[in-house]
Amino acid sequence: MKEYRICLSLIFVVPGARVRVAADWGKLRAGDELVVSRLDGPGLVVSHQNEKEELWIPASLVPNLSISRAWSFRPSKVDSNKDIVQPQERSPERKGPPTVLASSNLIRATAGEDVRISVEIANIEAATVTWKKEDEKEDRVIREGDRYRLKQAAGFLYLEIVRCRHSDSGIYRCYVEHETGSCWTEVSLFIAGGIGSTWARVVGPTKIEVDWECPGLDSYSIECRTAPSQNWVPMTMDVKNPPTILELPPGASYSFRVIGKNGNITSPSAEVALTGFEDNVSWETEQFIGRYLELDVLGKGRFATVRRARDKGTGQEVALKQTARHKQPRSLTRAEYDLLASSHHGNIIRAFALFENAPRPGMDTIVLELVRGPTLFVYLSKKTDYTEDMATKYASQLLSALQWLHRRNRAHLDVKPENVLVDQDSGVVKLIDLGEAVRGPVDEVVPPADLEFAAPELVLGKPTGTCTDMWAAGVFIYVLLSGVSPFLDDSVEETTANILKCDFCFPNEYFEAISNEAKDLLGRLLCLHGEERATAEAALTSPWFKAPASAAISSTRLAEFTERRAHSSKSRQDRNDRFYT
Ligand SMILES: Nc1ncnc2c1ncn2[C@@H]1O[C@H](COP(=O)(O)OP(=O)(O)OP(=O)(O)O)[C@@H](O)[C@H]1O
């Protein structure tokens, strides 16, 4: 008998709903109860009960929120890119049957909007996914088609319905089946408005698509009104089926109504403006520019530039991770955002919003929680000395972040000092950059981007997985305790050979005062074969975390280590910039 599990822990948001914020945001404090007025882009407009002042908060501040708009600034944009990466290919080891991690239980939308239903499932590798809509007689299987898009990215399954109608209301079920087991979950969709309605949307600089719901007829005529005129002018006759695309001059605003053969008239559509530009692009760009004031550059990676910025609405500072599409396709940025936005772990950076084509066309921006501090290694190297028990605290935070990801069958695949930041006021470690976790395997075997932290399987171009992170965590903790690198040698060839032979030791010069418990843990992480390495969960039970040792560690070596890495990353960045220009 197949085992089914349902996860229905989400709350849905309608005007008047009460929500609790999960973290401080501007004037708000974690735990504050707020009343929702409306949805606005990737967030909510809220107020304290019995208070008039309204504030905007990102949807991600309310965990388990079920609204169709939380995912992206413009839910109406449906990406037809087919290049969404299936990250499960990177982590072929299966941890068990498919399991529902999260899903909405109710989505409300207005007829004419595009709706995205998403469910998060663990272990979807090689599983069969079927979406069905509940019907009176037999549930109807939903197939990719004109108005439906079925997608899968980074452990999420999506059903997108373009220009939803009143008749799309109902219960949608997602079934995931694999020989190891099955699971399913269901989502209710409620579409307000509908029969007798007209919708219009800009689909090109001079094109408007008009859609309507007026069932049972086979011929319609469309009338148009150009603002500010109140006069309806016939546009086209004998249209068979909705929707239809009309060509109109730019530089004006239009609304439409439809007349059926039986003389019934639909209610007029909202006004839409033909600006002469790609409307989606300019609208989103405008929203972004109106909201954020960019301050300075925090860092640059191979793919993104990260800037500090102020949210003009709340006064809060955020980090903007901006990626040009010629470096990373939009589908990958979306997948990275989805993963970051669903991460509710104190040691993993949170994402608040995704703006596409912002700050300018061809660039996408993820709005991130700002870390006020440098990398952990830079932070420690500025101290005169630090102790082994301090190292224990930081290592356990990193392992806890990995444990959270690994439990969801996700591997970070880029654990390195530059991706482990620390908030210098609270001492909280933040793991950043989940870009590699959503990037697919490359066709050819290429040298790892960062050999010093690369596990043997990465060096050999073999399948990677959560155990790849455990190797990198081992190298990280080794450096944290000694300031030197376990496998790095004079040349790439020698370093590669050291990794492939797992050739490392604990020289007395650096490790004499370090506890045996620490060395024992490193021995369990730095194993040649992935399956022999300790998992994050097992590593966290190490006696090292229970018996703090007070050995002082000199920060001078760590300072040299970070200087060398900064220098080689600068050369890598220069090569990278040259490659892309
Ligand atoms: N939330 C944040 N707060 C503060 N600084 C950040 C934040 N996110 C990133 N940074 C800084 O920006 C740099 C680049 O960010 P990130 O690593 O995410 O970019 P990337 O292009 O994906 O990098 P990579 O080359 O490692 O793939 C980081 O090394 C860090 O210095």
Side-chain angles (χ1 to χ4, degrees), residues 295-462:
L295 299 170
D296 49 19
V297 173
L298 290 165
K300 270 186 174 191
R302 280 166 301 160
F303 304 95
T305 298
V306 180
R307 294 189 161 83
R308 191 166 61 94
R310 180 169 299 115
D311 182 325
K312 294 183 210 165
T314 61
Q316 174 135 348
E317 285 193 359
V318 291
L320 304 175
K321 181 167 178 173
Q322 303 182 322
T323 315
R325 291 207 185 142
H326 67 271
K327 290 193 180 180
Q328 173 166 295
R330 169 172 52 178
S331 52
L332 276 185
T333 307
R334 282 181 169 186
E336 185 178 350
Y337 168 74
D338 279 342
L339 189 49
L340 285 167
S342 69
S343 300
H344 297 290
H345 188 284
N347 300 117
I348 301 177
I349 200 74
R350 298 258 318 263
F352 298 136
L354 169 68
F355 287 81
E356 297 176 0
N357 281 313
R360 57 180 172 278
M363 185 162 262
D364 300 311
T365 298
I366 301 179
V367 183
L368 295 167
E369 166 192 2
L370 173 73
V371 184
R372 292 173 192 280
T375 68
L376 175 64
F377 282 7
V378 167
Y379 172 73
L380 289 176
S381 62
K382 298 245 160 72
K383 296 184 178 296
T384 339
D385 280 321
Y386 56 100
T387 56
E388 189 177 335
D389 66 322
M390 282 166 76
T392 325
K393 286 196 194 90
Y394 294 123
S396 70
Q397 294 184 53
L398 171 64
L399 290 171
S400 170
L402 292 177
Q403 181 189 30
W404 195 92
L405 283 170
H406 295 178
R407 277 191 179 156
R408 281 152 182 81
N409 203 16
R410 304 207 195 288
H412 183 283
L413 298 176
D414 200 14
V415 175
K416 59 182 183 184
E418 293 72 21
N419 286 340
V420 182
L421 308 187
V422 65
D423 180 304
Q424 51 197 11
D425 296 331
S426 62
V428 172
V429 163
K430 297 277 179 183
L431 182 61
I432 62 163
D433 190 6
L434 295 189
E436 248 357 272
V438 294
R439 212 157 278 139
V442 279
D443 294 339
E444 47 188 324
V445 177
V446 290
D450 198 331
L451 188 60
E452 199 171 354
F453 286 78
E457 60 274 18
L458 205 55
V459 174
L460 293 170
K462 289 192 173 163

Side-chain angles (χ1 to χ4, degrees), residues 193-233:
I195 295 174
S197 309
T198 324
W199 306 281
R201 61 170 190 150
V202 177
V203 290
T206 59
K207 287 190 172 67
I208 295 179
E209 184 184 68
V210 181
D211 197 0
W212 61 96
E213 194 150 2
C214 184
L217 300 175
D218 54 11
S219 170
Y220 304 88
S221 47
I222 299 173
E223 292 187 346
C224 169
R225 189 166 64 180
T226 309
S229 163
Q230 292 298 310
N231 296 335
W232 290 101
V233 178

Side-chain angles (χ1 to χ4, degrees), residues 4 10 54 58 62 65 98 168 181 193 255 269 282 288 305 323 330 358 370 373 397 408 430 480:
Y4 292 119
L10 298 174
E54 289 191 326
V62 184
L65 192 71
D168 289 321
S255 94
S269 72
S282 59
F288 179 86
T305 298
T323 315
R330 169 172 52 178
L370 173 73
Q397 294 184 53
R408 281 152 182 81
K430 297 277 179 183
L480 183 61

